[in-house]
Amino acid sequence: MAGTATWAIEASPRVHELLKHLHTASASQEKSLSQVWFYLKTIIGFYIRKAAWPKAADDHMRHKFVSLEQDKCQFMYLLARSLGAKNIIKAGTSFGVSTIYLALAVGQNARDARVMGMRATGKVVATEKEATKAAKTMDYWMQAGDEVEPWIEMREGDLRETLQVTEGMPEHVDMLLLDRNLDSDGAAGHPERSAATVQGSYDPGG
């Protein structure tokens, strides 16, 4: 799917090259012996000993991409485009790879709406707990340029707090993407990840 879907992603050569670089770096990390061993220990601890996500794991994962695979990112882009999604929440952006795809879709959906004579704005509200990751992520978005960066709002900190801030939050959310499990600190609590989508009004207290 990845080879075919790449041609369906509307982006400049610069953005395509950046995404290729980020996916390659992420895949290299995921396939490394140390990372495979880390996942194996964590899964055994979770299923056999019912162990919670250890704090030491946060240190291990602090510099890891933990990004969706390329075909999943492409699927989310195509889904966002087909829905005409203009307001998306990405809960836990890590190094922002999948968020680049979402920002591309939001910007293009807003552009298409304007062509049809509608007033349209939009953005991806992205959260990240780790300050070092947030800084590096915003650097990647800056490298992506005007196709991506203007369409993202980064909210750094515990998502249970940052998403409670209603200022700047759209009233209607077209899509929500989040990790499958979050621990008590609002961080990813399990190496298995999934993406979910919703449509509806945003209610920070609900």
Side-chain angles (χ1 to χ4, degrees), residues 38 42 52-64 130 188:
F38 168 79
T42 304
W53 180 263
K55 290 296 182 183
D58 285 338
D59 293 330
H60 176 86
M61 297 299 293
R62 187 162 286 118
H63 303 292
K64 300 296 187 292
E130 297 291 346

Side-chain angles (χ1 to χ4, degrees), residues 134-177:
K136 187 62 177 177
T137 296
M138 289 188 285
D139 179 62
Y140 288 141
W141 295 340
M142 182 177 66
Q143 291 180 44
D146 291 343
E147 296 169 82
V148 171
E149 188 180 26
W151 301 102
I152 309 174
E153 176 189 330
M154 169 65 88
R155 297 195 175 194
E156 182 184 330
D158 189 328
L159 62 84
R160 295 170 301 175
E161 299 174 358
T162 59
L163 292 181
Q164 291 283 344
V165 179
T166 57
E167 182 179 357
M169 185 67 73
E171 293 183 2
H172 183 89
V173 175
D174 301 305
M175 292 180 64
L176 164 69
L177 283 85

Side-chain angles (χ1 to χ4, degrees), residues 29-102:
Q29 283 186 352
E30 291 292 303
K31 294 176 182 177
S32 68
L33 184 60
S34 62
Q35 192 65 8
V36 171
W37 175 240
F38 168 79
Y39 282 146
L40 182 61
K41 289 191 301 181
T42 304
I43 291 172
I44 291 174
F46 181 80
Y47 286 109
I48 303 301
R49 301 195 307 273
K50 305 300 180 183
W53 180 263
K55 290 296 182 183
D58 285 338
D59 293 330
H60 176 86
M61 297 299 293
R62 187 162 286 118
H63 303 292
K64 300 296 187 292
F65 275 87
V66 202
S67 63
L68 288 176
E69 293 83 353
Q70 185 178 18
D71 59 344
K72 294 178 182 176
C73 289
Q74 292 167 345
F75 171 76
M76 297 313 303
Y77 166 87
L78 294 172
L79 180 60
R81 286 289 277 143
S82 66
L83 289 173
K86 292 184 283 294
N87 293 298
I88 300 176
I89 294 178
K90 180 64 172 72
T93 191
S94 190
F95 281 119
V97 181
S98 60
T99 307
I100 292 176
Y101 287 87
L102 297 174

